[in-house]
């Protein structure tokens, strides 16, 4: 174990020590960390190492840096301000979701599927209708960015989607059902550091990761993916909630 610790970069070891000092109360919420000069002297480290350690603390969500002032310990709240339900409810052909409220008119463009969207839709470089919308919670102002991608082969089979691709997700599910599809949903969740434009758009705190949920709606009978959705929101401001419904255990595993 000691060898593993020694192999870790010095800046990470230093960040761990400072994180322990924060959690131990040496630096309470709102307190300013010692200056770079003082940390250089205290830990006999270079300024680059100190800066990398502070950046690591920001990535941990423990501090935030203010230009020209220094780095301050963040207040750790019990839970984010908003809980976003990812459950899809259905009554007959009518669907309901709990998305945040749109703040502006959706943007519709035509694009080619690449990256995760192409992989999850099992289509490579195929044309698709791309719908981007910015959502917001009226009570807290928490923002999220939602993207829907409808492959052109699906839009051609469901003319309603070609005519109004910027319909709400629940309306898209209803249109697919009316076209004869039996829908199934699969969703994955991951997190990463925010891109500069995401930090501005989502008003994300520096160092707080962005949550990404990727939902694929597929035809239950054929397994063919139909549409792709991605939701991005700051993990410091929101948490995701899912209703879990137990599935049937395959017969061969019951024994």
């Amino acid at each position: 174990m000691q060898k593993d610790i020694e192999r870790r970069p010095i800046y990470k070891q230093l960040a761990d020590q400072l994180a322990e000092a924060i959690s131990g109360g040496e630096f309470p919420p709102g307190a300013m960390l010692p200056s770079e000069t003082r940390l250089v002297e205290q830990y006999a480290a270079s300024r680059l190492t100190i800066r990398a350690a502070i950046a690591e603390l920001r990535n941990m969500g423990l501090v935030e840096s203010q230009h020209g002032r220094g780095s301050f310990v963040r207040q750790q709240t019990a839970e984010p301000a908003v809980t976003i339900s990812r459950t899809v409810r259905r009554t007959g052909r009518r669907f309901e979701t709990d998305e945040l409220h749109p703040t502006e008119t959706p943007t519709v463009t035509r694009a080619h599927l690449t990256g995760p969207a192409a992989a999850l839709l099992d289509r490579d470089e195929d044309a698709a209708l791309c719908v981007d919308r910015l959502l917001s919670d009226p009570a807290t102002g928490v923002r999220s960015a939602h993207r829907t991608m409808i492959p052109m082969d699906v839009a051609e089979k469901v003319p309603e989607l070609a005519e109004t691709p910027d319909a709400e997700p629940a309306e898209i599910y209803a249109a697919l059902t009316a076209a004869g599809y039996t829908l199934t949903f699969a969703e994955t969740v991951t997190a990463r550091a925010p891109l500069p434009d995401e930090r501005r758009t989502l008003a994300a705190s520096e160092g707080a990761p962005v949550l990404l949920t990727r939902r694929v709606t597929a035809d239950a009978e054929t397994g063919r993916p139909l549409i792709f959705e991605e939701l991005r929101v700051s993990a410091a401001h929101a948490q995701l909630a899912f209703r879990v419904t137990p599935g049937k255990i395959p017969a061969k595993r019951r024994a």
Side-chain angles (χ1 to χ4, degrees), residues 7-255:
R7 280 199 296 266
R8 297 188 72 225
I10 295 176
Y11 78 91
K12 285 186 176 289
Q13 297 181 44
L14 177 54
D16 289 345
Q17 294 180 48
L18 290 170
E20 289 179 4
I22 291 172
S23 62
E26 183 177 342
F27 301 108
M32 183 172 71
L33 294 183
S35 66
E36 279 188 11
T37 300
R38 185 173 175 184
L39 290 174
V40 166
E41 295 173 352
Q42 181 176 348
Y43 292 97
S46 69
R47 285 187 179 273
L48 288 178
T49 298
I50 295 299
R51 290 172 184 170
I54 298 300
E56 188 74 4
L57 291 177
R58 287 198 299 269
N59 290 335
M60 294 178 187
L62 296 178
V63 304
E64 57 183 359
S65 299
Q66 300 179 15
H67 183 68
R69 294 190 61 195
S71 297
F72 297 81
V73 177
R74 295 181 56 193
Q75 178 70 46
Q76 301 299 306
T77 57
E79 61 181 27
V82 172
T83 298
I84 301 176
S85 172
R86 300 299 295 157
T87 300
V88 178
R89 298 179 297 278
R90 178 181 176 180
T91 303
R93 290 188 175 182
R94 182 171 177 269
F95 291 82
E96 291 183 354
T97 61
D98 293 317
E99 304 288 347
L100 300 184
H101 299 279
T103 61
E104 56 189 40
T105 303
T107 300
V108 181
T109 58
R110 182 163 175 160
H112 289 281
L113 295 169
T114 59
L120 291 173
L121 286 172
D122 194 23
R123 294 169 173 85
D124 187 19
E125 294 290 338
D126 287 9
L129 295 172
C130 179
V131 182
D132 287 300
R133 50 168 51 90
L134 183 63
L135 309 175
S136 177
D137 177 59
T140 63
V142 171
R143 299 176 182 176
S144 66
H146 183 273
R147 168 169 289 182
T148 303
M149 301 201 78
I150 306 171
M152 291 306 299
D153 63 277
V154 175
E156 290 170 358
K157 293 179 180 178
V158 187
E160 185 176 343
L161 298 186
E163 295 172 1
T164 57
D166 55 348
E168 297 291 333
E171 296 173 351
I172 293 177
Y173 305 153
L176 290 169
T177 301
Y181 293 106
T182 300
L183 305 184
T184 183
F185 305 92
E187 189 153 338
T188 59
V189 182
T190 187
R192 58 164 169 73
L195 302 175
D197 63 328
E198 289 175 330
R199 188 177 293 115
R200 291 189 298 270
T201 300
L202 303 177
S205 304
E206 187 172 2
V210 167
L211 292 175
L212 293 94
T213 75
R214 291 168 178 150
R215 173 182 292 170
V216 174
T217 303
D219 179 18
E221 295 183 4
T222 64
R224 180 68 167 166
L226 300 172
I227 65 170
F228 167 89
E229 296 174 69
E230 181 178 81
L231 181 76
R232 290 168 289 153
V233 65
S234 171
H237 299 153
Q239 61 185 2
L240 307 174
F242 298 82
R243 183 177 64 190
V244 178
T245 302
K248 294 182 179 180
I249 299 176
K252 63 180 180 181
R253 294 180 56 189
R254 292 177 183 172

